[in-house]
Amino acid sequence: PVARQSLKHMLSARIPGATVATFGKNLAEVLEFKQAALTAGDVVILDQNLDVPEEKLKGTDIVKELMAKGYKGFACIRSGDSAEADRELSRQSGAHWHVGKELRLRDMSEQLMFKY
């Protein structure tokens, strides 16, 4: 939760006027996220391993689902593993960018501005 809040603060500061929201406390929020992404999302950033209380979910599975439902924005997977196999899994899901958690959040927000 701390990383999510820090990233939210950084992105809000770097992109004036942007609506930045965080989701993921529980399965209901994951469903809310999917709907928000499809209706109003320009950029989505998902952890690869989502540990919601009700279920273990993969960010790549959610990106794949969003793409199949017509998501047209920029999708990013954030993962603790940046091996080539994990990067390939992200690409196969339709994600535009795979970023490792070793990258500081400040650097990630700067690179996101470039990638997007």
Side-chain angles (χ1 to χ4, degrees):
V2 172
R4 266 196 312 242
Q5 292 304 319
S6 295
L7 186 58
K8 179 181 179 179
H9 175 74
M10 278 184 239
L11 292 175
S12 296
R14 289 190 60 96
I15 311 168
T19 301
V20 180
T22 59
F23 301 86
K25 281 191 292 192
N26 53 45
L27 194 53
E29 275 200 4
V30 172
L31 297 174
E32 183 183 341
F33 161 76
K34 291 176 187 179
Q35 187 59 40
L38 289 170
T39 58
D42 293 316
V43 175
V44 296
I45 302 170
L46 295 99
D47 275 346
Q48 172 59 348
N49 295 299
L50 301 169
D51 193 11
V52 297
E54 302 92 342
E55 193 172 343
K56 299 254 188 229
L57 302 170
K58 297 283 186 194
T60 47
D61 292 336
I62 293 172
V63 168
K64 192 180 297 183
E65 180 183 340
L66 291 173
M67 296 300 185
K69 291 182 176 180
Y71 178 71
K72 301 291 185 212
F74 184 88
C76 172
I77 295 292
R78 187 167 179 260
S79 178
D81 196 341
S82 292
E84 184 53 37
D86 295 291
R87 291 179 182 279
E88 181 59 26
L89 183 63
S90 292
R91 283 190 291 272
Q92 289 175 0
S93 75
H96 302 93
W97 189 34
H98 179 104
V99 61
K101 287 187 178 180
E102 72 278 357
L103 187 64
R104 290 181 6 203
L105 290 176
R106 181 174 310 283
D107 295 336
M108 180 187 161
S109 67
E110 290 174 10
Q111 287 186 24
L112 177 63
M113 302 299 288
F114 176 75
K115 297 277 185 186
Y116 179 64

